[in-house]
Amino acid sequence: MSEAAAASITPTRDMLRDAGLMAVVVFGLSFSLVGFKIEDVPGGLAILTRFDGVFFATALAFLGRIGVIMLREQRALPIAITALPTAVIILLLQLFAGDLDPERTYPFRSTVVNWSLFSVTLAMSLRAIWLTWHHGGAARSRDAREKAMDLVGAKVQDAARFIGPALLGFALILPFLPFADRRLLDIGILVLTYIMLGWGLNIVVGLAGLLDLGYVAFYAVGAYSYALLAQYFDLGFFLALPLAGILAAFAGILLGFPVLRLRGDYLAIVTLGFGEIIRIILLNWYTFTGGPDGISGIPRPTFFGLELSKRASDGGDTFHTFFGLTYSPIDRIIFLFYLILAMAMLTNLFTLRIRKLPIGRAWEALREDEIACRSLGMNPRNTKLTAFSIGAMFGGFGGSFFATRQGFISPESFTFIESAVILAIVVLGGMGSQLGVVFAAILLIGLPEFFRELQQYRMLAFGLAMVMIMVWRPSGLLAHREPTLRLHPPPGKGSVK
Amino acid sequence: MNAVMHDTGTQALLTVEHLTMQFGGLIAINDVSFEANPREITAIIGPNGAGKTTLFNCLTGFYKPTVGRLALHHPQRGRFLLERMEGYDIPAHAGVARTFQNIRLFPEMSVLENLILAQHNKLMRASGFTFAGLLGLPMYRDAEKKAIDLARYWLDHINLTERADWNAGNLPYGDQRRLEIARAMCTEPVLLCLDEPAAGLNPKESSELNQLLTYIRDEHGIGLLLIEHDMSVVMGISDHIVVLDYGRMISSGTPEFIRNDPAVISAYLGEEESDDDTDIPSGGV
Ligand SMILES: Nc1ncnc2c1ncn2[C@@H]1O[C@H](COP(=O)(O)OP(=O)(O)OP(=O)(O)O)[C@@H](O)[C@H]1O
Ligand SMILES: [Mg+2]
């Protein structure tokens, strides 16, 4: 494709028309979305207009499109000449124009937009310079890129042996590092929760290949199971945890039965509906679940029966009095951090182990070819149901942890967007890749949480990341599959020099 | 398992009686009856669309026959009525394995894994339905070792031992065909159904295939059903031939008999006008 594109050069008229079309679309979108803003001013609401933003967005879309077309056709020199100064100007404006007018940043009102614009123009100019340098060098074909990325995946998987334990070691000492304040630990807990959920969903989506858009349902079942068990039966966290897991697994089987015959898009839609059904039940069964009011006062987990609070509710020992420590509110956070770390590691070890057992291999085989599975005497029904229920069980564990950490849950926490985020983590990381899930969770949860300004662009970034993955690397960042058992030692490892 | 019956004394491995398969108005198989014996290769031939693959799909539980009885006599386990069994129970209990006209391997999994997956039920039991396996009990480790040994045995016979850790999808076409046969054999069947195993093979690969199939017949003593268009393969190795045309069985007998049967010749000659690929059965050994 690239050779063909390189040979033919789009006439200027076509190029201008293409770019003009793009500009019209961007204008249409940004006119209403960016052009007007409702602001709270003293005495009511006012509509502000920001037509400069619309103008710049349209102009940039027009120029950017021309740049993309020309780059694709390897006419790099004009791009190199224009894009680089643009990048530099944007950078300078962002960095120094603030001194002129402290009210706003330049060229756009949002630093994130400015930085993204800068990176895009910089990337374009670097590419253009590279192309000018290696003049005539054809762009790498899609196949070659896939191969190269797979090699990267393989390398990373190879390195996972060191990266994995290194990350684990870092997580283990994190609470005691000097910069670990409460905020960082909270983010760590959040990231670990999503890592655990990602690993759980990975069983269903990555291994068994069943596209599940309703994973949050099991998270909700786990959370409500614990909250209700604690409320009605006074069960502690560690007693309720396995029960919550079993109930979630049961919900997984319940979902599994009707969707046994569905695959792909149809399966995705039904699971999506299932997630909504659970949420709506929780919302409407007022007498049992408290409906929209949710459930509050969910007991915190205890350290072998010792509470991690200032004063024990029953007047007995607490964690700090028992060990003769001074009370510090961060103890509880550290405890939660280690708890979710342990739960996540359990999920990970379980997945790694079960992948090498017949059932794990059967899940993968089912993903590859269900008809072949039948012809070998595998029971596809049972295989699918176990995948659904075990994936759901880990979702349920995660939900219980969520409930005990928050102390309060309501159906609002279990909307579709949660399912989408967890699925995004699995897909972005590379289906079936354990380490990929970790990186994707840090990228999608940790970073936006840490840099609050990014928060409002999170969905945008999500969408962008997804589109880019689908275009560049449909199998996910670190997708590379190692056989579950080998006849010969892997090349380069068994041999001793 | 209510399909198990007691041995009634018939020696045939497979007895097909009055099999009819109808899709709406189309009768893909029309009242076909034949027998297949252990230690024999029974070839099923016929022009395109004759209903050969449909017959296999009925035998292996992918379709439920409209009418008819498919009785399998398993030397150790007794008699099974295949038309009453769940699809995935047929390979698991009755010992019928098959390959597909369009190869169906697990392409992203390794060659060895493909062969291990064929022993799924056995390993599943040995892993205590996963619980013993999770704990790493020796019972499971022994079973896995045995499974690998069986896989290695077949890998040696299809010359893929060297490439056991390759992804199955990366193998050349001919090797994929043989791997699919090896995978079917790893289910330890008593009847092996092969749907056009020689399709797309070059003459050398084709003759290697002949050797593999006769080896399976002679050394493992199982029955083979072989759908094949390549007449050199069919005439060379089959013990018995069944000819289908438009869903009807038009002839059945030894290769010698089929070669000279005017009904068969006319069916193939009629076909010849529209389809040049098909060899005339008398075309040579
Ligand atoms: N699931 C189905 N639904 C409807 N018709 C079917 C179905 N399966 C097969 N048929 C029809 O049954 C007839 C026999 O098909 P079959 O695949 O058994 O032929 P075949 O003998 O294997 O041919 P070939 O040599 O081309 O593989 C064909 O007309 C086919 O269209
Ligand atoms: Mg066919």
Side-chain angles (χ1 to χ4, degrees):
Chain A
M1 191 205 92
S2 56
E3 291 95 287
S8 74
I9 286 189
T10 319
T12 317
R13 241 189 66 203
D14 287 2
M15 195 159 74
L16 288 181
R17 199 179 50 206
D18 197 354
L21 213 63
M22 178 100 171
V24 168
V25 170
V26 169
F27 178 77
L29 283 175
S30 61
F31 186 71
S32 51
L33 292 179
V34 179
F36 300 98
K37 188 183 182 205
I38 294 176
E39 193 123 303
D40 227 347
V41 294
L45 296 174
I47 295 183
L48 301 181
T49 54
R50 299 186 297 187
F51 292 128
D52 55 334
V54 177
F55 173 75
F56 282 120
T58 310
L60 280 172
F62 184 76
L63 295 175
R65 181 69 194 160
I66 292 180
V68 167
I69 293 172
M70 288 178 73
L71 268 188
R72 205 165 55 199
E73 291 164 2
Q74 321 228 335
R75 287 188 278 167
L77 200 59
I79 304 298
I81 292 171
T82 50
L84 196 58
T86 316
V88 172
I89 290 171
I90 291 172
L91 182 68
L92 292 177
L93 278 175
Q94 158 68 25
L95 288 182
F96 302 112
D99 299 344
L100 309 174
D101 180 0
E103 287 289 294
R104 53 165 295 187
T105 57
Y106 285 92
F108 290 98
R109 282 195 176 81
S110 155
T111 39
V112 171
V113 172
N114 292 339
W115 282 118
S116 341
L117 216 55
F118 167 69
S119 11
V120 169
T121 41
L122 187 69
M124 275 178 92
S125 42
L126 289 181
R127 170 104 179 116
I129 290 169
W130 191 86
L131 277 180
T132 333
W133 210 267
H134 302 81
H135 192 65
R140 239 201 287 191
S141 75
R142 171 175 283 258
D143 241 25
R145 191 170 58 223
E146 271 296 304
K147 276 236 173 65
M149 283 298 284
D150 198 55
L151 212 66
V152 171
K155 281 236 174 72
V156 170
Q157 200 132 97
D158 222 36
R161 251 177 301 204
F162 313 108
I163 298 177
L167 281 175
L168 178 62
F170 177 71
L172 279 174
I173 57 168
L174 179 69
F176 300 106
L177 295 178
F179 55 84
D181 52 0
R182 163 140 197 189
R183 176 152 171 263
L184 186 72
L185 283 182
D186 271 334
I187 295 173
I189 291 173
L190 195 68
V191 170
L192 280 170
T193 312
Y194 278 97
I195 289 176
M196 171 171 177
L197 292 173
W199 280 338
L201 183 61
N202 212 353
I203 294 176
V204 186
V205 179
L207 292 185
L210 302 163
L211 186 52
D212 184 352
L213 286 183
Y215 195 59
V216 75
F218 310 122
Y219 190 50
V221 169
Y224 271 85
S225 296
Y226 170 52
L228 292 170
L229 283 170
Q231 195 175 39
Y232 288 99
F233 300 104
D234 246 356
L235 290 189
F237 178 71
F238 291 103
L239 212 60
L241 187 67
L243 289 177
I246 290 172
L247 286 172
F250 185 70
I253 292 178
L254 219 62
L255 165 67
F257 258 111
V259 301
L260 277 173
R261 287 167 183 279
L262 305 180
R263 31 184 47 256
D265 316 352
Y266 300 100
L267 178 67
I269 288 168
V270 176
T271 51
L272 183 123
F274 183 77
E276 285 302 288
I277 289 171
I278 294 281
R279 191 176 64 84
I280 289 168
I281 289 176
L282 294 176
L283 200 59
N284 287 290
W285 197 354
Y286 191 80
T287 48
F288 186 55
T289 64
D293 303 342
I295 300 174
S296 55
I298 302 168
R300 305 295 190 170
T302 58
F303 183 80
F304 297 104
L306 296 170
E307 285 180 35
L308 288 119
S309 54
K310 184 133 196 186
R311 225 164 271 109
S313 48
D314 56 359
D317 270 329
T318 63
F319 180 75
H320 67 282
T321 57
F322 188 85
F323 288 102
L325 307 165
T326 53
Y327 175 69
S328 146
I330 206 168
D331 284 352
R332 191 172 60 79
I333 308 296
I334 294 178
F335 177 64
L336 283 174
F337 182 84
Y338 281 123
L339 180 60
I340 186 64
L341 183 63
M343 286 168 64
M345 283 317 291
L346 186 82
T347 315
N348 184 28
L349 292 180
F350 182 88
T351 312
L352 288 181
R353 179 117 209 168
I354 206 160
R355 202 173 88 84
K356 304 200 173 200
L357 289 176
I359 186 70
R361 266 195 294 269
W363 288 338
E364 291 197 78
L366 204 65
R367 175 192 69 199
E368 300 270 293
D369 194 330
E370 187 173 335
I371 289 179
C373 284
R374 285 169 163 274
S375 82
L376 298 176
M378 264 176 232
N379 182 332
R381 183 187 65 212
N382 293 354
T383 311
K384 272 190 199 177
L385 287 182
T386 46
F388 267 122
S389 61
I390 289 179
M393 181 178 77
F394 287 110
F397 289 156
S400 296
F401 176 81
F402 177 76
T404 194
R405 173 175 108 105
Q406 299 292 99
F408 166 77
I409 52 171
S410 75
E412 256 170 67
S413 314
F414 308 106
T415 50
F416 166 67
I417 201 73
E418 291 297 318
S419 296
V421 168
I422 304 165
L423 187 68
I425 288 173
V426 173
V427 174
L428 187 69
M431 298 216 227
S433 162
Q434 298 293 91
L435 204 58
V437 167
V438 175
F439 287 132
I442 293 173
L443 211 69
L444 292 184
I445 306 294
L447 287 187
E449 199 65 31
F450 204 80
F451 301 100
R452 272 300 158 100
E453 216 230 328
L454 290 172
Q455 195 83 331
Q456 56 174 319
Y457 297 97
R458 184 153 128 188
M459 285 303 133
L460 191 70
F462 257 25
L464 214 62
M466 285 293 135
V467 170
M468 271 157 57
I469 283 289
M470 286 306 141
V471 172
W472 298 97
R473 178 104 177 117
S475 45
L477 285 180
L478 296 184
H480 168 80
R481 189 180 173 279
E482 267 297 301
T484 55
L485 75 182
R486 283 177 170 277
L487 205 56
H488 314 292
K493 265 158 228 148
S495 58
V496 186
K497 281 187 187 161
Chain B
M1 292 292 290
N2 58 352
V4 183
M5 293 203 166
H6 278 288
D7 192 0
T8 48
T10 152
Q11 281 306 302
L13 177 61
L14 174 76
T15 314
V16 175
E17 286 173 301
H18 304 293
L19 178 68
T20 299
M21 183 75 225
Q22 209 168 341
F23 298 107
L26 179 94
I27 302 175
I29 300 182
N30 194 350
D31 195 24
V32 167
S33 304
F34 69 93
E35 287 188 346
N37 294 320
R39 290 182 187 281
E40 274 189 15
I41 295 178
T42 306
I44 297 172
I45 64 171
N48 293 108
K52 305 179 294 295
T53 301
T54 306
L55 170 67
F56 271 21
N57 283 336
C58 291
L59 275 176
T60 48
F62 283 92
Y63 297 156
K64 285 265 166 280
T66 318
V67 181
R69 164 160 295 186
L70 304 164
L72 184 104
H73 175 84
H74 192 295
Q76 283 91 42
R77 300 181 195 152
R79 206 159 83 104
F80 293 87
L81 297 181
L82 302 180
E83 79 278 7
R84 294 193 191 167
M85 296 173 71
E86 274 292 337
Y88 50 81
D89 277 340
I90 291 176
H93 298 296
V96 179
R98 73 172 290 182
T99 65
F100 295 89
Q101 191 166 351
N102 312 307
I103 304 176
R104 281 186 179 275
L105 291 168
F106 304 116
E108 299 284 322
M109 302 180 84
S110 77
V111 170
L112 180 63
E113 281 174 313
N114 269 273
L115 298 183
I116 297 293
L117 275 161
Q119 306 173 54
H120 175 74
N121 288 311
K122 196 169 68 182
L123 284 172
M124 200 65 190
R125 276 191 297 276
S127 76
F129 295 91
T130 307
F131 295 106
L134 276 177
L135 300 173
L137 297 187
M139 174 176 85
Y140 173 66
R141 266 181 286 147
D142 290 349
E144 194 184 64
K145 205 168 281 161
K146 283 212 188 88
I148 294 178
D149 286 342
L150 181 62
R152 190 193 274 275
Y153 170 85
W154 283 109
L155 284 172
D156 287 341
H157 280 87
I158 58 172
N159 289 326
L160 281 182
T161 316
E162 277 299 302
R163 283 173 284 172
D165 298 324
W166 282 35
N167 272 2
N170 293 348
L171 291 177
Y173 187 80
D175 289 335
Q176 293 198 15
R177 281 254 175 239
R178 275 179 304 157
L179 176 59
E180 208 191 10
I181 296 173
R183 187 181 67 177
M185 283 310 293
C186 278
T187 66
E188 298 171 271
V190 291
L191 177 67
L192 176 64
C193 306
L194 302 165
D195 200 343
E196 300 196 20
L201 300 191
N202 62 36
K204 180 169 162 286
E205 288 173 327
S206 189
S207 86
E208 280 171 4
L209 180 78
N210 283 2
Q211 280 166 20
L212 179 67
L213 297 188
T214 45
Y215 176 83
I216 290 174
R217 172 189 63 189
D218 300 338
E219 298 300 315
H220 288 263
I222 69 171
L224 286 89
L225 284 186
L226 173 69
I227 295 179
E228 194 46 75
H229 281 300
D230 184 339
M231 284 307 145
S232 68
V233 175
V234 170
M235 293 298 162
I237 62 172
S238 48
D239 303 288
H240 186 86
I241 298 178
V242 173
V243 190
L244 298 184
D245 189 24
Y246 290 112
R248 289 182 175 278
M249 190 172 86
I250 55 170
S251 182
S252 117
T254 60
E256 209 49 46
F257 174 78
I258 295 295
R259 198 197 312 260
N260 302 315
D261 186 351
V264 177
I265 293 169
S266 78
Y268 269 84
L269 284 179
E271 169 78 3
E272 189 73 352
E273 288 163 13
S274 59
D275 189 344
D276 297 341
D277 304 333
T278 313
D279 296 18
I280 304 169
S282 54
V285 177

